[in-house]
Amino acid sequence: MYIINIHSTHTHILFWMRLIAINHLTALDACCLQTISVCCCTNVCVCPCRRNVISTASVGVRSLASIPSLPPSVAEFVSGAAAECKPAKVHVVTGTPEETADILANLEKDGMVKKLAKYENCWLARTDPKDVARVESKTVIVTKDQRDTIPIPTGGAKSQLGSWMSEETFQKAREDRFPGCMAGRTMYVIPFSMGPVNSSLAKFGVQVTDSPYVVASMGIMTRMGTPVLEKLAEGAEFVRCQHSLGRPLPLKAPLVNSWPCNPDKVLISHLPDTRQILSFGSGYGGNSLLGKKCFALRIASRIAKDEGWLAEHMLILGITNPQGVKRYIAAAFPSACGKTNLAMMKPSLPGWTVECVGDDIAWMKFDSQGKLRAINPENGFFGVAPGTSLKTNPHAMATISRNTVFTNVGETSDGGVWWEGLEPPAPGIKLTDWHGKSWKYGDSTLCAHPNSRFCAPAGQCPIIDPLWESDEGVPIDAIVFGGRRPEGVPLVYESFNWRHGVFVGAAMRSESTAAAEHKGTNFHFSI
């Protein structure tokens, strides 16, 4: 096991890769499946078997009547969410290209995104400046007992390993936020899979949201739509994800950048005992794309504990030496510490190649032969834009040249994007910053937000690994732990053994980055 410290560059990365590549890790009574109908004259949803009658007065869920087939467990979840949030209508997402095109066109019509003329099917979103990152201070785990979630520090100190909320406090917070929160808006129902749909390591979710931006992004980041509904119809379990921007219509106050959010009431809550996620008030990806950190790390870590596997904040890459021997490596860094650049590395040593399986999250499990295997549960890259360039990550630049949603980056007058780390724009090209204001190269303010993002399909990466969608996962031969530490620790060092490596990895801290709301230079554990 290797421990690596990354500050601002990937200096000496190939040194430890050459060492790692020679190592080898070995292991130690439901309703019938028919359409839910809606009686338009009485606004009452009736299960075909008539065992359950759910009132939908003032909810307006008539589009449910057009659903070809909705599994009973999904129907129950959606009906409950609609009754609580009271949307104007409900749309079940199929994931077709035509549907995605319509959603993006409507987003553009509403001013939430802008099509970028310079690229193929690329879009730019600018958020409310108060909604730009994960909000860890308002991210909670809800369990009966605090000790089930986090260690309880002595002396009343706040734990640095997460935030706990009691069931009673959460219920009051929910009642203060969700009732009627989608009034006037469409509730989108997103059936999605984390991991290849047919993989034994895959897990399913259903997210309801009133954000079409979330729908467009989830279509990139997950396997989404009808194929997942078919799995759910077979009885597959799923995580229930409920998200709202918290801005019902008609609006009581104007939006900033046409971006609906409710920053004063943001709450991202996780209920691991019941496999639920409820997120309110934020449209930013880390808080609203509930398949990412919320599901793939927080809830998945509890599922993994119960089932005997691992959900980790790790990239996965394959490295092949000049002799043709290939090893797969998992590496754990906090957000904004270089995972994407490392996962898509272009080696400078002759004869070495690197291929990308994933850049952010790894689900790992020992197979029947005792070999640790891993999948990337995601379907896309949600990468930090600033610092990404042809110099630092040419493969990422190729990946994001089409079918990409950019958020809070700068815009060029010729219909392109720009951020700090790219070459200065060509003469005559004007820049607009992430606030939508005119910006000149060399200004004291930043053109792109430090946590501005690109959301792009992983399959577009020119060095995507041939086995990145393997149902059984790739075999892991080494694990690396790292972070952003400019001083005080060596750049690269090796643990004495696996037991020592686990201790060092668990005890590591990293400087805070723009991926969360921390300010100043402080050190924290990645969660």
Side-chain angles (χ1 to χ4, degrees):
M1 188 175 295
Y2 289 79
I3 314 300
I4 182 166
N5 169 46
I6 300 298
H7 179 41
S8 58
T9 69
H10 285 121
T11 306
H12 305 313
I13 294 295
L14 280 173
F15 165 76
W16 60 259
M17 278 191 166
R18 294 177 71 180
L19 292 175
I20 291 171
I22 65 174
N23 284 279
H24 184 69
L25 170 64
T26 56
L28 308 167
D29 164 43
C31 299
C32 52
L33 299 180
Q34 299 180 33
T35 303
I36 285 185
S37 60
V38 174
C39 177
C40 297
C41 60
T42 61
N43 280 336
V44 174
C45 288
V46 185
C47 287
C49 63
R50 298 186 178 273
R51 293 179 192 162
N52 298 305
V53 179
I54 306 165
S55 173
T56 59
S58 303
V59 175
V61 291
R62 295 188 178 187
S63 58
L64 280 176
S66 63
I67 301 170
S69 177
L70 198 63
S73 56
V74 179
E76 180 183 9
F77 168 56
V78 173
S79 298
E84 180 177 32
C85 301
K86 294 181 170 54
K89 58 181 178 178
V90 175
H91 174 85
V92 178
V93 176
T94 61
T96 64
E98 295 79 12
E99 179 185 60
T100 300
D102 287 343
I103 287 173
L104 286 167
N106 287 329
L107 280 168
E108 185 174 33
K109 181 180 178 181
D110 292 340
M112 286 187 68
V113 302
K114 179 179 181 181
K115 193 165 188 178
L116 295 165
K118 192 173 182 178
Y119 317 114
E120 177 187 348
N121 193 33
C122 288
W123 306 80
L124 172 63
R126 294 189 180 100
T127 74
D128 186 312
K130 295 181 179 180
D131 191 21
V132 295
R134 283 186 285 113
V135 190
E136 293 181 5
S137 63
K138 298 180 180 180
T139 300
V140 300
I141 310 295
V142 181
T143 54
K144 182 177 180 180
D145 297 315
Q146 182 176 358
R147 192 172 291 280
D148 292 338
T149 297
I150 57 174
I152 303 176
T154 58
K158 179 176 173 55
S159 173
Q160 297 186 54
L161 296 178
S163 298
W164 173 77
M165 180 177 283
S166 71
E167 295 174 341
E168 294 78 11
T169 301
F170 164 72
Q171 190 59 36
K172 292 178 181 178
R174 179 175 186 168
E175 293 170 357
D176 184 47
R177 289 166 171 80
F178 281 98
C181 63
M182 296 186 186
R185 298 188 181 276
T186 297
M187 173 188 281
Y188 296 93
V189 181
I190 309 171
F192 65 95
S193 175
M194 301 306 296
V197 175
N198 293 316
S199 171
S200 62
L201 290 172
K203 298 294 179 183
F204 305 112
V206 175
Q207 176 169 348
V208 295
T209 179
D210 54 1
S211 169
Y213 169 89
V214 167
V215 179
S217 300
M218 286 287 283
I220 295 172
M221 295 304 302
T222 71
R223 285 88 173 170
M224 179 183 80
T226 302
V228 180
L229 268 183
E230 293 172 352
K231 285 288 185 181
L232 297 176
E234 296 172 3
E237 296 181 354
F238 65 96
V239 173
R240 290 154 174 80
C241 308
Q242 183 169 317
H243 167 256
S244 176
L245 299 167
R247 295 298 298 270
L249 299 176
L251 294 171
K252 296 181 180 179
L255 301 177
V256 178
N257 287 337
S258 300
W259 183 265
C261 63
N262 191 340
D264 294 334
K265 287 196 171 183
V266 168
L267 183 66
I268 301 94
S269 51
H270 307 73
L271 287 69
D273 292 337
T274 53
R275 311 294 198 245
Q276 294 182 78
I277 304 164
L278 291 95
S279 175
F280 185 91
S282 173
Y284 166 76
N287 304 321
S288 63
L289 308 183
L290 302 186
K292 279 195 65 63
K293 298 293 191 292
C294 295
F295 182 164
L297 282 181
R298 300 187 187 111
I299 293 295
S301 65
R302 170 61 181 274
I303 297 174
K305 177 179 181 292
D306 293 344
E307 298 180 354
W309 49 280
L310 296 169
E312 300 295 336
H313 198 188
M314 294 182 178
L315 65 89
I316 311 169
L317 60 82
I319 180 170
T320 305
N321 67 16
Q323 291 72 43
V325 178
K326 186 172 186 177
R327 304 293 189 194
Y328 287 96
I329 297 161
F333 303 152
S335 295
C337 286
K339 288 195 304 298
T340 301
N341 284 357
L342 179 56
M344 301 184 191
M345 189 178 191
K346 185 176 182 179
S348 58
L349 293 178
W352 290 79
T353 60
V354 168
E355 291 170 300
C356 177
V357 177
D359 76 326
D360 193 33
I361 298 172
W363 287 0
M364 300 188 290
K365 185 178 183 180
F366 289 105
D367 64 19
S368 60
Q369 304 300 313
K371 181 65 181 177
L372 186 64
R373 290 186 172 271
I375 65 167
N376 168 18
E378 298 186 295
N379 194 49
F381 302 122
F382 188 67
V384 177
T388 304
S389 67
L390 290 173
K391 182 179 179 180
T392 63
N393 196 337
H395 299 311
M397 296 299 291
T399 302
I400 64 179
S401 62
R402 56 192 173 94
N403 303 319
T404 298
V405 177
F406 297 93
T407 303
N408 288 339
V409 300
E411 180 185 4
T412 63
S413 57
D414 60 346
V417 293
W418 194 88
W419 51 75
E420 282 69 20
L422 293 177
E423 293 294 323
I429 299 298
K430 297 180 181 180
L431 289 170
T432 302
D433 70 11
W434 71 280
H435 292 285
K437 299 178 180 179
S438 178
W439 190 89
K440 293 181 180 179
Y441 188 77
D443 280 359
S444 58
T445 58
L446 295 175
C447 185
H449 187 275
N451 194 43
S452 55
R453 297 279 176 158
F454 55 79
C455 183
Q460 295 181 178
C461 179
I463 60 162
I464 197 71
D465 193 271
L467 297 179
W468 86 280
E469 290 193 290
S470 168
D471 287 344
E472 63 269 19
V474 298
I476 298 298
D477 295 312
I479 298 175
V480 176
F481 293 93
R484 184 184 297 266
R485 292 292 295 273
E487 58 187 14
V489 295
L491 181 65
V492 181
Y493 60 98
E494 182 181 358
S495 61
F496 298 124
N497 50 47
W498 286 104
R499 183 185 294 268
H500 180 234
V502 169
F503 169 77
V504 174
M508 283 194 68
R509 296 172 75 97
S510 180
E511 184 177 301
S512 298
T513 70
E517 83 273 23
H518 299 287
K519 299 183 182 297
T521 301
N522 61 314
F523 297 92
H524 64 98
F525 293 98
S526 176
I527 59 173

